[in-house]
Amino acid sequence: MMPTKEKNEFITKIERFVRDELRNHDGSHDFWHIHRVRNNALSLAKLEGIASEEDLTIVEVASLLHDVRDWKYAEEQRGSFEDVVEDVLKEYEHKKTVVDIVNNIGFKEELSSTASASTQGDTSRIRGDIKFKIVSDADRLDAIGAIGIGRTFCFGGAKKNPMHDPGVPPNVGLTREEYQAAHNPGMINTTINHFHEKLLKLKDMMKTESGTKMALKRHEVMERFLKDFHDEWEGL
């Protein structure tokens, strides 16, 4: 286990690295998103009974790094996640665990795929790790509720997507490949569709008991918002 002073310096170093990595991201995936996910993750870790300082540090580090080299911003970045974190994690004994957590987090990773199982790799070990479940849930909590609504419109605006078009229905059963293709440069989808294609599904995809309870409350916020949005769209 790291001494407190060494741990604090390590975390500060990672924070500086992440701030620089995300400096050009829009407000939906900026450092404040990282800040909230870290807070969510540390709260969930305590609720889930994680008492080990070593495990809490892994959760914190993975939370801080989880959006570095996010595939949705691929056109703005060069180099793989593993390559760019090599220096900041090179002396960290739990580097592999952190990398495995980050590489397996995300809605896309849990969608059905046209690729064969053999090409997708074996992720069962890390997906069974409570630390992975906590960081995954922490990230998903920031995608829903009031914050999630704000982030969704922020991202849609940055991509110049229309808010809503009744003539463009959501693809609620989209595959991994379809979800990824929808984020390619030049592809247009509506912001409201994103709620139906992803966000409203997340409460049933949480991995911890504590995360599920928190997600239910935030899910209700989105449902109320969508009802009000569609009512106002129709002039009601």
Side-chain angles (χ1 to χ4, degrees):
M1 185 176 73
M2 285 188 193
T4 300
K5 184 175 184 294
E6 182 181 340
K7 177 197 166 182
N8 290 342
E9 291 173 349
F10 178 53
I11 294 297
T12 299
K13 178 182 177 181
I14 293 174
E15 288 175 341
R16 284 197 302 266
F17 168 76
V18 174
R19 284 182 188 275
D20 184 63
E21 279 288 311
L22 274 54
R23 67 189 182 280
N24 293 323
H25 283 199
D26 61 88
S28 68
H29 292 81
D30 60 2
F31 189 79
W32 286 115
H33 164 61
I34 304 301
H35 169 82
R36 294 187 303 269
V37 171
R38 170 170 54 180
N39 287 346
N40 288 342
L42 293 176
S43 294
L44 287 173
K46 291 175 183 177
L47 290 170
E48 292 295 315
I50 303 297
S52 160
E53 281 299 321
E54 193 170 45
D55 285 346
L56 287 170
T57 300
I58 293 172
V59 165
E60 183 170 10
V61 171
S63 298
L64 285 168
L65 293 171
H66 83 275
D67 265 349
V68 170
R69 290 305 191 260
D70 185 340
W71 64 273
K72 294 187 292 299
Y73 296 86
E75 72 274 13
E76 304 169 9
Q77 307 169 135
R78 294 292 181 271
S80 70
F81 172 74
E82 290 89 338
D83 290 340
V84 299
V85 300
E86 176 61 34
D87 183 59
V88 77
L89 293 180
K90 63 183 177 183
E91 296 178 1
Y92 185 42
E93 62 179 318
H94 298 295
K95 171 186 170 183
K96 184 180 187 308
T97 299
V98 168
V99 170
D100 285 348
I101 288 173
V102 173
N103 279 339
N104 283 279
I105 278 179
F107 178 71
K108 172 174 67 73
E109 309 308 320
E110 296 184 44
L111 292 173
S112 62
S113 173
T114 57
S116 65
S118 61
T119 64
Q120 295 179 48
D122 179 15
T123 61
S124 56
R125 181 194 65 80
I126 195 63
R127 289 183 178 277
D129 190 319
I130 185 61
K131 297 183 291 297
F132 165 79
K133 294 178 180 180
I134 286 168
V135 179
S136 176
D137 280 6
D139 187 33
R140 287 179 174 172
L141 285 171
D142 205 56
I144 58 179
I147 290 288
I149 293 169
R151 289 184 64 217
T152 301
F153 280 90
C154 184
F155 183 80
K159 297 298 181 181
K160 301 188 183 333
N161 289 337
M163 282 201 307
H164 180 48
D165 183 341
V168 181
N171 181 3
V172 294
L174 80 177
T175 65
R176 180 184 305 183
E177 289 77 15
E178 288 171 332
Y179 179 71
Q180 191 159 1
H183 288 80
N184 288 340
M187 293 295 291
I188 299 295
N189 195 7
T190 76
T191 298
I192 288 296
N193 279 357
H194 188 64
F195 286 88
H196 299 283
E197 293 173 351
K198 175 183 177 180
L199 307 186
L200 293 175
K201 299 177 181 179
L202 295 183
K203 73 174 176 62
D204 295 321
M205 298 176 69
M206 304 299 283
K207 305 181 183 306
T208 66
E209 183 178 349
S210 304
T212 300
K213 289 178 180 177
M214 294 174 71
L216 289 173
K217 179 180 177 182
R218 299 188 186 203
H219 182 86
E220 291 173 357
V221 172
M222 294 192 299
E223 286 187 319
R224 290 194 299 271
F225 165 76
L226 288 170
K227 180 183 183 304
D228 289 344
F229 181 94
H230 288 293
D231 283 350
E232 292 177 16
W233 188 272
E234 299 299 331
L236 300 178

